[in-house]
Amino acid sequence: MPSINDHFFAIARAQSDYARCIDDDRLEEWPSFFEEACLYRITSAASHRDGYEASVVFANSRGMLTDRISALREANIYERQAYRHLLGMPALLGQAANGLRTETSFMVARIMQDGTTDLYATGRYLDIWNTKGETPKIVERIVVCDSSRFDTLLAIPL
Amino acid sequence: MPSINDHFFAIARAQSDYARCIDDDRLEEWPSFFEEACLYRITSAASHRDGYEASVVFANSRGMLTDRISALREANIYERQAYRHLLGMPALLGQAANGLRTETSFMVARIMQDGTTDLYATGRYLDIWNTKGETPKIVERIVVCDSSRFDTLLAIPL
Amino acid sequence: MPSINDHFFAIARAQSDYARCIDDDRLEEWPSFFEEACLYRITSAASHRDGYEASVVFANSRGMLTDRISALREANIYERQAYRHLLGMPALLGQAANGLRTETSFMVARIMQDGTTDLYATGRYLDIWNTKGETPKIVERIVVCDSSRFDTLLAIPL
Amino acid sequence: MSQQAELERTVEGMPNWPGDGLTRVPYWVFQRDDVYAREQEAIFQGPVWHYLCLEADIAEGGDFVTTFVGDAPVVVTRDSEGAIHAFENRCAHRGALICLDAKGKGKKDFACVYHAWTYDLTGKLTGVAFQKGVKGKGGMPPEFKISEHGPRRLKITALHGLVFGSFSADAPDFKSWLGPEIEPKIGRVLAGRKPVVLGRYTQVLPNNWKLYVENVKDSYHASILHLFFTTFELNRLSQKGAIVVDETGGHHISYSAIDRKTNTASADYAQQKIRSDSKYRLADPSLLQGFDEFNDDVTLQILSVFPTFVLQQIQNSIAIRQVVPRGPDRTDLHWTLLGFETDTPEQRLTRLKQANLIGPAGFISMEDGCVGGFVQRGVRAASREQAILQMGGSTAESSESRVTEASIRGFWKAWRAHTGI
Amino acid sequence: MSQQAELERTVEGMPNWPGDGLTRVPYWVFQRDDVYAREQEAIFQGPVWHYLCLEADIAEGGDFVTTFVGDAPVVVTRDSEGAIHAFENRCAHRGALICLDAKGKGKKDFACVYHAWTYDLTGKLTGVAFQKGVKGKGGMPPEFKISEHGPRRLKITALHGLVFGSFSADAPDFKSWLGPEIEPKIGRVLAGRKPVVLGRYTQVLPNNWKLYVENVKDSYHASILHLFFTTFELNRLSQKGAIVVDETGGHHISYSAIDRKTNTASADYAQQKIRSDSKYRLADPSLLQGFDEFNDDVTLQILSVFPTFVLQQIQNSIAIRQVVPRGPDRTDLHWTLLGFETDTPEQRLTRLKQANLIGPAGFISMEDGCVGGFVQRGVRAASREQAILQMGGSTAESSESRVTEASIRGFWKAWRAHTGI
Amino acid sequence: MSQQAELERTVEGMPNWPGDGLTRVPYWVFQRDDVYAREQEAIFQGPVWHYLCLEADIAEGGDFVTTFVGDAPVVVTRDSEGAIHAFENRCAHRGALICLDAKGKGKKDFACVYHAWTYDLTGKLTGVAFQKGVKGKGGMPPEFKISEHGPRRLKITALHGLVFGSFSADAPDFKSWLGPEIEPKIGRVLAGRKPVVLGRYTQVLPNNWKLYVENVKDSYHASILHLFFTTFELNRLSQKGAIVVDETGGHHISYSAIDRKTNTASADYAQQKIRSDSKYRLADPSLLQGFDEFNDDVTLQILSVFPTFVLQQIQNSIAIRQVVPRGPDRTDLHWTLLGFETDTPEQRLTRLKQANLIGPAGFISMEDGCVGGFVQRGVRAASREQAILQMGGSTAESSESRVTEASIRGFWKAWRAHTGI
Ligand code: FES
Ligand code: FES
Ligand code: FES
Ligand SMILES: [Fe+3]
Ligand SMILES: [Fe+3]
Ligand SMILES: [Fe+3]
């Protein structure tokens, strides 16, 4: 099937597992989707367009991802909440120096403890994947939210 | 393509047909996605976590699914409304005694007669499929809504 | 894999590219997803059911699609806004005289300049594709929105 | 407190109207809940006629549609004798909606789903379930007379296929309500031919209903906000044309016709340095190739009947717009697109193409859909400031020039007369 | 302005009550913000008992749940001695929620997240972080006495495993609050056996809370709105049965039992031509195969305690419904589905199946979930109109017939007594 | 009714303020619409200075940004001479937003989209389309003078690259507004170097704006709510540090510096048994490795200017926070993250990492983002109850201890002086 890139399904599966990992509140497993040396940022379309360097979340090591989770678990005060991710089909944009570039749309609903549900974030994942291993690992993920408004707080990673 | 389970596409297709069947208001066909001996429940993440036995909808026979539809058509009073399902990629979780276990995320928008549209429900389908036949049939479907709040009523099945 | 129509992936990919084209604001490329001789309509489920001929948007030539975009770019006054499409899996409904008929569910969130995000439209694409060429082209696309209510305006195509 | 007392109290609570009454409009009229409540009472439930539907929507006996008159849900029906009736969609018993469907056919009567009180097609209460109780126990007391109860019924009138209604018995005769100038121009578009509904949709406006009505009556903005008009010469202020404002001020007509003399407009426009005079052209100009439907060279006729009815002819795009307030800062605009039985296939296709000019995605109307919101947001902190309505003077009279806000002043003249504000 | 003055002002601002007080209900009571505010004060924070939770929800010392009494967030706890306590979920310092979780176990005390003021399980303020400052600098002044501060605590009572509370010290003794008739019927369902929570969910109602309470007390609608009841003979007005209304009018019981004599009902129904008498049958009738749980042939008992508590027995479906107002036109309905430790597996399965009758997807309850919204929308423009409550007369007394609105009139009798409206 | 009369009426309608005025705050100030309206008038449109933008946001002539002063949409521009101007984003004609874009460059003038009335960069009305009509017909009457109309313009001032504005001509001189203590500490962070915007986002707070301002001024909570501060010794109450409250009470500075003497804090914390003294450590501590930016060991400086401006230095994380009320229970918090042209790549990376401390996902700020909502919900039913502000006494003075609510009392002192409530 020439029209299908060999990596397509592996990455689609990885994306889907990534989303389930977060939505199932298995956050401790979340960093394992990334390479040890990785970049993870959450920013907005406007900031991305304007080339702003700073992020809503910034991590340039897997350790920082781990710290995010332990902070959520041990340190930070916030109300219990959950996400539901729905993802578009990954678009394969070709090989970059450090891996395979893809872009994937997302919608995330947030469900508060009392059941209140709202469309919390929409946007796209700008990713670079290491496809050498058994399952693809994230080398770089820029989460570009369409909006730069965030309701109350952003505790759980996107 | 070893990374792709042979059943994956058949189930993804069945899920998509299931959603279209409901969204197109072909509810009379809905029970046919299930085995004669089946379990269908709608519950919430909190109730699922707490192990509550009771459901928002409970059916342990295809007949009960048929009764749901005939009740909607012949008996129950409610305003005309429609759903729009959007589904995530099914995750295949392995063989259970009675079939193949999968988990699939969903978002459902509800559109009222006057056009009012809201994000009505999000959650995941916890399914067991009989993959022996030509098309996979649902042996068990637990619809775990992320929220335990339901706006006004839940008439059309999820 | 007999259960998978050969055209399935090509069309799924085309649908996903179509959505990215709009969501990335590359609207000038949008007409190129259509055949020169094409039909594009946006209507509502109720109007579709009642057989109304008129549409919210009507184009029976690719030129009219081009005009839509140049109007948005050069003529019309409206606030900066963006969409985020999420699509269901295309359902292949068989060959029509003029191509392959498919149906695909969508949800579209609209993001205003100030970041306000809402579920702007849900519905389904009723399409006919020319699958002869390298990539499938749209011969006919009826965008059937589930709701016939449109908030403020519909500037960007669906 | 008596209704009258209540009213006075309401109006009293409000700030004073600034200026001479027509050339200034205080922004609080678009913001205050008490103004909204007063309008519901004095205008939507007052001695005023409101568009309900097309006769064609209820062509046969047993047909019905549901709509709104301001906040009030309303059912419109046609009985077996062909008479049209309308009544509040509110059960006389405990207030449930009597009819849940948007439309239907073959109805004999309406049964409220809650306790099955039944109504005939005129809205008359005809039955009370278990009125006599069961086995002689329970039921309604003898002094309860079915004839004394029922939803509020509307006075009905129809003209050229349009159905209007009023909650108030004091509503004037419809012809005199319209005055001598309006009716013929409705007739021009609708009389003597059978309409066919080509489409329907609703545009939700993020603003007070009056901002949209001002926009409709605002001939001043047409050539400036809407690039299409000017560029494609659908409408030039220097075309032949005029504004007609009726005596009450509440109704208006704005029209323009092709000026077959040399067009000196460009110069005028150049002077104004208005962005709307672009060099923009269409790739598929068939969009705008119309046919001469009325043999009068009139390419545009916008007609409004106070408070919320609009009949539009933009080339061959004929539509009815019904404005329904949903709160001080939200309005539903219901569009009904029309063709006619006599349309040739080519003419019908022309209408379908020209429908691109109107509605939420209309090359013209999308702008009218957002500009009201720009005002609502612009005046957010300016309830004590005022709009200036001096274009074309200070009166509400008809004028040959459309560089005027006369018909908007007319609206406020009528609005103030009805609300007492 | 003093609290008393404020109250009088509030009530004064309202229109007069129409009619004799029980047979007419003005629709503005379902719409006005000032009525809502008055209810919060006079009923939800007044000398009235409100359902909080099950004793089983806080079975052990250190268990807690959070809930609402009207607008007020409330924490309910059980201390190490087994005593139950409840207090407003509002920190005495600057008002943050003291407890963020819906429920929990093994709690020793509550520490507010904002500045760590701490409370024991009774709601008593026990610690103020840095009260003495740091190194003798800062901290609270000596005149500040911890003992003088704390969230408002509720008076608590429990009956048959149900926990009730009141913000007001003037709340009457609970037994006399219930009166002689209600308590035994609560006991009938709950006494002498250990409940097991089978499920929980919340139904969000698009209407004023009182419209739902009217619906619960409305035996008249049961056989008309709900096709299931009539068709499957869960409930026939011609079955044996009755309505009990207590002396205050606020509480009620409606029940029906199998009438083992020949059933003449169908005739009665035929006469009414009510749509609810269909020929509709189930493919899997096991849904409705119940077991005789109470040896009294009573298939249905709906019991309400003023203002917002409902205990339901529909065949073997036992549930508690807690009504929480969220604004004039929004209400949360919290369902708690019960089984009992003594249930056999077959009995338990029966309850799971019969749960299909109730809740947002309940073959019966889905209709009660939407009909309140039909009324809220139906009366939108009719604040000056009134509901008619004359079925079964004009009093609020018990009656053998259920073709009556007596218990609804009772509700208004109690509501007016409490609110002074 | 006159504006003055209106004001008095508004304030009169409110309950009395409890207690001595600073140690108690009634919860109705966070809930009532009339309080919100009064604030808009007296504070946001009153003789008060409000942060608008950075000078760097409009670095060149023709640059502009749009922002809000309370409910009022505002345009800020720089003209060709380099002067800064600001005016209400509301057309003088009929109130549409004059400018729809969030920002832009190379602007010569603004043309309202509705009728093309034009404004120069100072907000002066310079043109009215068709003022003279067309072919001498229509147009504005001679008595209409362009010079007499235009949007409300703001008084402007700039300090250390920050632009402030006021709708009121009576706004005091900015230096005296700030007083002697505040300006130098703004200078400490911003003076003498060119800022670079590193990021921008908005956090939507589910609470009244004053609850967020209280939080900013609340040095008491910092070490308790925020685990990060204490655990990673970003801030210890026992560090060197102090609270500065200006004479008006409205402005404040809270700072802390490394105490190079032995740290006795842990003991103090132990005594309080505060959950915030955990053993929690980071896997990648580089997050917190800062550089000494100011050669003064001050690791934290939070500075606020009444009513809604915040300048933050948390280690090397420099940010401006602009608080914009959106209603009694909703607030927009606009963050602008800053670096400086002189930053080395390492320093810049440090700022990017430390940005993890702030904003909606900030290890610190996420908690400030939700705690206001906890209060808004906690006090929902307690409008007649009051917050206690006695930590550190009852005055609004500067103090060495940060175990005080002095700067919050200061806020209320200033708020009451301005609103008259
Ligand atoms: S509300 Fe209509 S019959 Fe009772
Ligand atoms: S608000 Fe609870 S401790 Fe301060
Ligand atoms: S509103 Fe701005 S020009 Fe008319
Ligand atoms: Fe227009
Ligand atoms: Fe019911
Ligand atoms: Fe803080």
Side-chain angles (χ1 to χ4, degrees), chain E residues 222-242:
Chain E
S223 61
I224 298 170
L225 175 62
H226 304 306
L227 185 48
F228 256 70
F229 273 111
T230 49
T231 309
F232 304 106
E233 310 204 333
L234 293 175
N235 173 28
R236 282 282 196 192
L237 292 189
S238 53
Q239 286 183 302
K240 281 196 317 237

Side-chain angles (χ1 to χ4, degrees), chain F residues 91 93-96 112 114-117:
Chain F
C91 184
H93 177 218
R94 284 185 8 224
C112 179
Y114 206 167
H115 311 88
W117 286 28

Side-chain angles (χ1 to χ4, degrees), chain D residues 241-311:
Chain D
I243 295 286
V244 177
V245 184
D246 85 309
E247 199 185 302
T248 68
H251 320 315
H252 103 291
I253 303 158
S254 170
Y255 70 91
S256 60
I258 295 156
D259 187 345
R260 302 202 175 275
K261 298 187 241 75
T262 52
N263 190 324
T264 65
S266 340
D268 294 309
Y269 273 81
Q271 284 159 30
Q272 312 303 327
K273 302 194 208 53
I274 290 166
R275 54 156 275 291
S276 75
D277 198 33
S278 84
K279 295 281 145 290
Y280 174 56
R281 293 292 174 266
L282 290 181
D284 185 340
S286 74
L287 178 77
L288 298 173
Q289 281 149 13
F291 56 96
D292 186 356
E293 189 166 2
F294 304 98
N295 314 309
D296 57 8
D297 277 356
V298 173
T299 55
L300 175 115
Q301 176 186 294
I302 304 296
L303 179 152
S304 69
V305 174
F306 185 83
T308 52
F309 171 82
V310 182
L311 174 63

